Amino acid sequence: QVHLVESGGGLVQPGGSLRLSCAASGTIFSINVMGWYRQAAGKQRELVAIITSGGMLNYAESVKDRFTISRDNAKNTVYLQMNSLKPEDTAVYYCNADIWATRASRVPLDYWGQGTQVTVSS
């Protein structure tokens, strides 16, 4: 089975920075897309950023030019560098990955981390 573990969340003042990490472990043959989503209190989960194994990127307009997603394929890890943080960035951030467990896997499966809280406040 696959397990995703996020780290790096916490409390930061407006204008500050945080770097989130998400490491995938377990039975993994290959990872296609990895990404970050967030869910603020009372709102639906939304895409923050995704990155494919080939380096294709997609960002939400609200974070473009402030956040940067990257990945280390050798470590099965995805990162999210968050700069110029705003109070509206406050949310639980979830790691997501599409993973083939083995060569014989019929389709890649979608996995989620447990979430890490990011709070931007003075």
Side-chain angles (χ1 to χ4, degrees), residues 66-118:
R66 297 189 298 121
F67 293 8
T68 302
I69 189 170
S70 62
R71 63 191 285 173
D72 184 336
N73 292 328
K75 296 181 178 180
N76 290 330
T77 299
V78 63
Y79 306 94
L80 185 68
Q81 179 66 48
M82 304 185 293
N83 299 324
S84 302
L85 283 161
K86 305 174 180 179
E88 49 262 47
D89 294 317
T90 296
V92 177
Y93 284 70
Y94 295 93
C95 178
N96 173 260
D98 295 315
I99 297 174
W100 283 269
T102 71
R103 290 185 301 151
S105 297
R106 178 164 155 260
V107 295
L109 298 180
D110 200 39
Y111 294 90
W112 293 89
Q114 81 289 344
T116 185
Q117 178 71 47
V118 172

Side-chain angles (χ1 to χ4, degrees), residues 5-120:
V5 179
E6 301 103 332
S7 62
L11 175 65
V12 65
Q13 294 186 352
S17 298
L18 286 174
R19 180 176 170 85
L20 305 183
S21 299
C22 172
S25 61
T27 304
I28 299 173
F29 174 71
S30 181
I31 302 178
N32 186 15
V33 179
M34 301 187 82
W36 293 93
Y37 294 73
R38 68 186 182 187
Q39 187 166 18
K43 296 187 176 182
Q44 294 184 332
R45 187 174 299 185
E46 65 174 352
L47 169 73
V48 177
I50 57 172
I51 181 169
T52 71
S53 59
M56 186 180 71
L57 308 173
N58 190 28
Y59 293 95
E61 286 298 321
S62 60
V63 307
K64 206 162 191 172
D65 302 322
R66 297 189 298 121
F67 293 8
T68 302
I69 189 170
S70 62
R71 63 191 285 173
D72 184 336
N73 292 328
K75 296 181 178 180
N76 290 330
T77 299
V78 63
Y79 306 94
L80 185 68
Q81 179 66 48
M82 304 185 293
N83 299 324
S84 302
L85 283 161
K86 305 174 180 179
E88 49 262 47
D89 294 317
T90 296
V92 177
Y93 284 70
Y94 295 93
C95 178
N96 173 260
D98 295 315
I99 297 174
W100 283 269
T102 71
R103 290 185 301 151
S105 297
R106 178 164 155 260
V107 295
L109 298 180
D110 200 39
Y111 294 90
W112 293 89
Q114 81 289 344
T116 185
Q117 178 71 47
V118 172
T119 301
V120 185

